Amino acid sequence: MFSFEESGTDVREYRSTSSNSRLKLYGLILSCTIAILSVLIVTIFVQAKVGPIKVEYPRKKHVNYPDMCNIKNSEAVEYPEHIPFCINNAQILIGDGQLLTGSTITVENGIIKSIGTTCPESFHIVNAHNAYITPGLVDMHSHAGVHGLPSTKGDNDVNDYGHGDTIPQGRVVDSYDPNDRGIIHILQGGVTTSQILPGSGNAVGGRGLQVKMRGITVEKARIKNAPITLKMACGENPKRNYGMTRMGTTWDMRRMFEQSQIIMRQQDEWCNMTDGDRSVPMPNSLEYDNIIQLLRNNAVLNVHCYKVTDMEMMIRLSKEFDFSIGSFHHALEAYKMPQILYENDIAIATFSDHSNYKMEAFHHSVYQARILEENNVNVVIKTDHPVTSSSRLLYSAQRAWHYGLSSKQTIASVTINPSNAMGLSHRLGIIKEGFDADIVLWDRNPLLLGARPIKVWIEGELLVEQDYEIRNNRVVDIPDPSKMVLEETLCNLEKTPSSFRIIGAKIIHTFDSSDTISEGNIIIENGLVTCVGDCPSAIDRVIDLKGGIIVPGFIHVGHLGLIEVSQESNMVDGYLNGDSKSHVVAIDGIKPNINQVRAAWASGITTAIVSPRSSGVHSGYSSSFNTGGILLTEDTIIEKKMSYNLNAGMSFKTKAVPTLSSQIYQIRKFINTTPPNTTISIRANSADVMLSLLRILKGSNNSIHLIIIGAAEVNLIIDELKLFKNYISIILEPAHCPRKQPEQYRCDESAIAKLIDAGINVGITEIENAMAHRNLRWEAGILTNYIDNHTAIRLITKNIADMYNLQNQGTIEIGKPPNLVAFTDDPLSLKSTIELVIHNSNIECRPRQT
């Protein structure tokens, strides 16, 4: 629980201002004498818990625990005074799966006073207009406030490497900055509560902090009466940082637990002494106090573990030293051991689909959340902010829903489930009488892609108000593709024929001269598209979409095929130093049969444009390939040598080219000596850098086509870009507003509409390092908050093909080999699944993510 040591409250000041509380505490000390009372009070205020940890999941208690001489502290929870109000005409997803329609929520003094169907006359009325309401979202694993955004060394206090790999004495409260500029964006995403944890660089990181996303002081932000929350880590991170094996890390943990047990027993012996025998103060240790609280069952333990072997190790330690594990975090192999987790009452705080960035993240399954739910394990979706942005917590949960997590558990996974696992289920995570008035009013059903908060309250205080149109859409759970029975179609044949029909399409987006066709068929004969639309045919090999939608295969721009596991040097292509012009061509480093490429294909990405990776200005030449192939044969390669690639920005400074100005000098020199009509791709995010590029174009005599990739701050220079719209294209990477780096912070997600209105050719892409690229279609879908659906599909098909002058890509054309993806519904929605992917001779029905 929260101690006065952590809050910064002076114990002497507390005595002088809280005499009533002091007298109550004195009455509890039945066996202690007046002579040692002052020493004992100070010690206990530092050590003892503040109140009961109300966790719905049963926790093991130590039978002989003397409750630190029966002294308990309590800390009053003070709610802010606001004008009482009542939200009416609401659809309330209360957090545990129930939906209350046409309901009201009455809020007074920071808490939910009642839930009903009418509002008191004296209360201020907030009309929800039949919109959806949820509890404030809860991010159980975040580093907001200790790893500020944009990211700088000065604002990074996540890991402490100065005190060895076990620092149980560490406390996030001493580092947390509630003025982190990323926090307002987190709040705008509907997250009202976060558990701020130390990083995983140490085997034992210390004590976390549970906060509301508000305030300019820690005292205002922290949750009073919150339980002690501890962070430990196993596996690759501490192993790598301290040059140890898993055995060595485990030994350091065991040694720490052993020492903590010794001190705890000494404390118990002291408490059991008679008054006359207490000649010395109670044994105490600032270093081991947090672990002693864990051993006394006064703390909730969060453990960063990925692999089965690491989770089993921690469970063994919990049995050896008699403590409880509250939750495993990340835990990407948890789906392999659900029964063990259930039997040990351990929650799983995990990613929905973030994986493959290191070996312990290599064997993840996107179906993990569903599997854990089916085995009654408490499932929590979290972000690990800023690894993935806490402002997109709901989007992470939505993707788990797409892969089979039930709609009830999807909402619960970011509300009541983390509240339970954090020991806060007695006051938040659910819309309930007497609970904190942390409430989010959404512009649509929160299970729908692109859902945004209209209003966000924390303890009754309106902190976010955004002007979005309300869309009252209902949803149903997505059927599990693995349980769907395929009909006797071409997909069941041992060898796919070269001639077949695709029938029953509701819409076909061709992006050729016809652009869009309603209700049509596609005929493929001898490996070529021969008809699109009203196509009678006698071909007997048929797949019936029954109202599905067909689009061209998606196009990805990045490093697909060069990165298998980014943190393993022998599983990546590597980096060029980039200090001078490079003749390297990406095609020579591509591996087409790796997880990232397979995931791309299964998500509808049929074409990859790949550039070599570089730490400097020059990156060499791009190549493109068909993602459906197993080997990089001539049939798989689309173009061996395409645009030349350059980089400009803070992250590309090297010893040889140490400044932005020297980068721009090299780029100017290169462009001025490049043959006319050449396509050049440049990665840049800063508006200032992009303006420098425009000045280079203006002063050049060559007709260069420039593709700017990244372009985070493009919203600031749209008027300037309009003057060069015939010579410049933009690829937003990522499609959303990242704000991770200083050069990205001034971004604006709505810039996509302004770029299109300005007549600038624009596309989007996603990084492939942690499998984010497989969400490319959903990133386009989120942008339909600003543009229409058809235009959004162009962002990942035709527009990209036009930039790179790629033939037979991004369109469905008669007389050309097929390159298409067939969906059960809107390709840009979470509810649709892929029925068929075709690129030339590569054909697969219902490809699955792993």
Side-chain angles (χ1 to χ4, degrees):
M1 292 298 181
F2 187 87
S3 69
F4 285 101
E5 177 193 25
E6 178 171 317
S7 71
T9 304
D10 189 281
V11 177
R12 290 168 296 179
E13 178 185 345
Y14 179 81
R15 288 196 192 125
S16 65
T17 56
S18 306
S19 56
N20 291 337
S21 297
R22 184 180 67 241
L23 291 173
K24 291 180 182 179
L25 290 170
Y26 286 173
L28 293 173
I29 312 173
L30 300 178
S31 61
C32 296
T33 65
I34 298 299
I36 65 169
L37 184 57
S38 59
V39 174
L40 183 57
I41 289 292
V42 172
T43 303
I44 297 308
F45 276 172
V46 173
Q47 296 283 340
K49 64 177 183 177
V50 178
I53 303 177
K54 298 186 71 175
V55 181
E56 290 189 7
Y57 291 86
R59 298 287 177 195
K60 176 175 55 182
K61 291 291 183 184
H62 294 267
V63 177
N64 297 320
Y65 169 47
D67 204 17
M68 299 295 285
C69 304
N70 298 315
I71 297 178
K72 295 181 181 180
N73 296 327
S74 63
E75 184 178 28
V77 177
E78 298 179 359
Y79 290 97
E81 293 185 6
H82 300 296
I83 297 174
F85 66 92
C86 179
I87 307 171
N88 66 2
N89 298 323
Q91 299 190 71
I92 305 172
L93 289 162
I94 70 171
D96 65 355
Q98 296 184 60
L99 172 64
L100 306 179
T101 60
S103 299
T104 63
I105 303 174
T106 303
V107 175
E108 188 173 18
N109 296 327
I111 64 172
I112 297 171
K113 184 178 180 180
S114 65
I115 301 170
T117 56
T118 59
C119 290
E121 291 184 3
S122 60
F123 279 48
H124 172 69
I125 304 299
V126 177
N127 192 339
H129 298 287
N130 208 35
Y132 282 85
I133 279 178
T134 67
L137 305 186
V138 181
D139 194 347
M140 188 174 167
H141 187 132
S142 175
H143 304 296
V146 292
H147 189 158
L149 291 184
S151 181
T152 61
K153 289 182 180 179
D155 285 333
N156 188 341
D157 289 296
V158 174
N159 293 296
D160 189 313
Y161 297 124
H163 298 86
D165 69 326
T166 57
I167 50 168
Q169 69 274 24
R171 305 182 309 177
V172 165
V173 72
D174 300 321
S175 296
Y176 182 71
D177 179 7
N179 298 292
D180 170 5
R181 285 188 285 172
I183 289 175
I184 181 59
H185 303 295
I186 294 171
L187 184 60
Q188 288 170 344
V191 175
T192 57
T193 300
S194 293
Q195 179 166 255
I196 312 301
L197 295 172
S200 56
N202 303 92
V204 179
R207 185 167 176 169
L209 182 69
Q210 296 172 341
V211 299
K212 297 291 181 78
M213 309 311 289
R214 64 174 179 193
I216 60 173
T217 65
V218 177
E219 188 64 20
K220 175 71 172 176
R222 72 176 182 86
I223 297 177
K224 296 179 175 65
N225 255 345
I228 294 172
T229 180
L230 301 182
K231 170 71 179 298
M232 296 184 187
C234 47
E236 289 186 36
N237 286 18
K239 176 175 174 283
R240 179 175 59 249
N241 290 327
Y242 290 95
M244 293 190 293
T245 63
R246 284 176 164 84
M247 290 184 292
T249 301
T250 305
W251 162 237
D252 280 354
M253 285 184 172
R254 294 180 70 217
R255 184 165 50 189
M256 175 197 68
F257 278 115
E258 181 185 43
Q259 185 61 35
S260 300
Q261 274 191 339
I262 291 172
I263 298 171
M264 183 181 73
R265 288 165 184 157
Q266 292 172 347
Q267 291 175 344
D268 293 349
E269 291 171 1
W270 188 90
C271 282
N272 290 326
M273 289 179 182
T274 61
D275 296 347
D277 291 334
R278 291 177 175 168
S279 59
V280 295
M282 176 186 287
N284 186 27
S285 169
L286 288 177
E287 181 175 0
Y288 296 109
D289 176 61
N290 288 328
I291 303 305
I292 293 169
Q293 296 295 337
L294 175 65
L295 295 176
R296 292 191 183 284
N297 207 50
N298 289 341
V300 179
L301 178 59
N302 308 267
V303 189
H304 161 118
C305 277
Y306 282 79
K307 293 171 66 68
V308 168
T309 183
D310 292 325
M311 288 183 274
E312 283 188 305
M313 177 276 291
M314 283 303 305
I315 291 172
R316 279 196 301 273
L317 288 192
S318 74
K319 307 299 184 186
E320 180 180 2
F321 294 98
D322 197 22
F323 63 86
S324 296
I325 299 170
S327 56
F328 284 129
H329 289 233
H330 310 318
L332 297 193
E333 293 186 12
Y335 68 96
K336 298 179 179 180
M337 51 182 291
Q339 189 60 32
I340 295 173
L341 297 168
Y342 174 75
E343 290 170 355
N344 286 275
D345 189 29
I346 299 173
I348 295 298
T350 190
F351 295 119
S352 53
D353 55 6
H354 187 78
S355 63
N356 257 72
Y357 43 92
K358 53 183 175 177
M359 284 309 302
E360 59 188 11
F362 193 70
H363 298 290
H364 176 238
S365 170
V366 295
Y367 307 103
Q368 167 155 292
R370 185 195 76 197
I371 294 168
L372 294 174
E373 178 191 2
E374 291 171 348
N375 286 274
N376 300 309
V377 176
N378 185 20
V379 180
V380 175
I381 301 297
K382 48 77 186 172
T383 66
D384 196 11
H385 177 92
V387 174
T388 63
S389 175
S390 189
S391 66
R392 310 189 99 201
L393 176 62
L394 180 65
Y395 176 43
S396 296
Q398 290 171 339
R399 299 198 304 274
W401 175 64
H402 172 82
Y403 292 119
L405 187 64
S406 70
S407 57
K408 292 181 179 180
Q409 276 299 301
T410 298
I411 299 300
S413 72
V414 289
T415 53
I416 189 60
N417 289 5
S419 177
N420 275 329
M422 291 161 59
L424 292 171
S425 62
H426 61 291
R427 61 175 291 186
L428 56 84
I430 194 169
I431 303 290
K432 187 175 181 180
E433 182 178 337
F435 277 54
D436 291 7
D438 299 346
I439 300 168
V440 183
L441 177 68
W442 299 91
D443 69 344
R444 73 201 75 177
N445 189 310
L447 289 177
L448 291 175
L449 192 65
R452 299 172 293 185
I454 298 173
K455 297 179 187 289
V456 180
W457 292 268
I458 291 183
E459 294 175 7
E461 181 180 6
L462 182 62
L463 295 177
V464 171
E465 190 165 16
Q466 302 177 117
D467 186 18
Y468 297 135
E469 178 186 355
I470 294 174
R471 312 176 187 185
N472 293 315
N473 302 92
R474 295 185 179 276
V475 297
V476 296
D477 280 346
I478 298 169
D480 177 8
S482 67
K483 298 177 181 178
M484 296 169 69
V485 179
L486 283 170
E487 299 177 3
E488 289 297 323
T489 66
L490 65 92
C491 295
N492 300 72
L493 303 176
E494 292 185 5
K495 184 177 180 180
T496 304
S498 61
S499 299
F500 54 91
R501 290 185 293 157
I502 305 172
I503 65 172
K506 181 170 63 176
I507 300 173
I508 304 174
H509 297 272
T510 61
F511 297 118
D512 64 354
S513 57
S514 56
D515 204 38
T516 302
I517 296 172
S518 297
E519 298 183 0
N521 308 327
I522 295 180
I523 307 298
I524 290 113
E525 294 183 276
N526 299 318
L528 297 176
V529 176
T530 58
C531 183
V532 179
D534 185 9
C535 305
S537 173
I539 298 175
D540 58 355
R541 300 302 185 190
V542 175
I543 182 167
D544 188 351
L545 293 183
K546 298 180 179 178
I549 295 175
I550 299 174
V551 298
F554 303 140
I555 303 173
H556 180 265
V557 179
H559 308 297
L560 201 58
L562 300 181
I563 306 168
E564 189 166 14
V565 178
S566 62
Q567 295 185 22
E568 295 290 334
S569 60
N570 61 348
M571 299 182 77
V572 295
D573 181 56
Y575 281 90
L576 300 168
N577 65 29
D579 290 336
S580 59
K581 181 178 179 179
S582 172
H583 296 282
V584 170
V585 182
I587 201 72
D588 298 321
I590 292 171
K591 296 170 65 177
N593 193 31
I594 58 177
N595 281 3
Q596 276 85 345
V597 179
R598 172 63 190 167
W601 172 263
S603 69
I605 296 171
T606 60
T607 301
I609 300 172
V610 185
S611 63
R613 297 196 301 163
S614 170
S615 57
V617 172
H618 294 271
S619 289
Y621 292 92
S622 293
S623 306
S624 55
F625 72 100
N626 174 346
T627 61
I630 296 176
L631 296 172
L632 208 59
T633 63
E634 293 301 316
D635 291 337
T636 305
I637 298 170
I638 298 172
E639 286 196 26
K640 294 179 181 178
K641 190 174 182 180
M642 301 170 61
S643 66
Y644 189 82
N645 292 270
L646 299 164
N647 304 302
M650 295 294 184
S651 58
F652 298 107
K653 292 189 290 188
T654 64
K655 288 184 178 180
V657 188
T659 64
L660 286 177
S661 56
S662 55
Q663 291 177 5
I664 297 301
Y665 169 78
Q666 285 216 1
I667 292 170
R668 181 183 293 110
K669 182 179 177 180
F670 180 83
I671 288 178
N672 287 339
T673 58
T674 297
N677 302 317
T678 300
T679 298
I680 297 175
S681 302
I682 300 185
R683 291 183 180 271
N685 279 298
S686 163
D688 300 302
V689 170
M690 287 187 281
L691 286 174
S692 293
L693 298 177
L694 295 184
R695 286 193 290 270
I696 292 173
L697 279 187
K698 185 176 181 180
S700 173
N701 294 322
N702 297 336
S703 298
I704 300 298
H705 176 217
L706 198 62
I707 303 172
I708 301 178
I709 303 173
E713 295 186 345
V714 71
N715 53 290
L716 302 176
I717 61 167
I718 290 176
D719 288 341
E720 289 78 7
L721 283 172
K722 285 172 66 175
L723 303 175
F724 297 89
K725 64 182 181 182
N726 294 328
Y727 304 98
I728 281 188
S729 299
I730 300 292
I731 298 178
L732 297 174
E733 181 197 47
H736 65 276
C737 194
R739 298 190 177 91
K740 282 191 176 184
Q741 302 301 325
E743 294 180 305
Q744 299 173 322
Y745 192 76
R746 297 179 294 174
C747 58
D748 180 357
E749 194 169 278
S750 66
I752 189 75
K754 298 173 185 176
L755 286 166
I756 291 168
D757 289 343
I760 299 166
N761 190 19
V762 59
I764 64 170
T765 193
E766 279 292 317
I767 59 172
E768 58 287 306
N769 176 31
M771 297 294 221
H773 63 290
R774 63 180 159 198
N775 304 325
L776 183 60
R777 66 183 176 107
W778 295 326
E779 295 292 344
I782 291 172
L783 293 179
T784 59
N785 282 329
Y786 311 104
I787 58 178
D788 65 75
N789 190 278
H790 186 69
T791 302
I793 295 173
R794 286 185 67 103
L795 299 177
I796 53 178
T797 55
K798 182 71 161 62
N799 288 7
I800 301 287
D802 288 347
M803 292 179 197
Y804 288 91
N805 196 28
L806 273 178
Q807 302 300 311
N808 306 328
Q809 313 298 318
T811 61
I812 301 172
E813 298 184 54
I814 294 174
K816 305 293 184 182
N819 182 0
L820 59 87
V821 188
F823 289 87
T824 56
D825 206 309
D826 176 9
L828 306 187
S829 76
L830 289 155
K831 62 184 179 181
S832 68
T833 57
I834 294 178
E835 286 286 287
L836 180 70
V837 183
I838 307 175
H839 193 177
N840 296 354
S841 61
N842 300 114
I843 302 175
E844 185 173 358
C845 292
R846 292 181 183 164
R848 299 192 75 208
Q849 297 290 345
T850 57

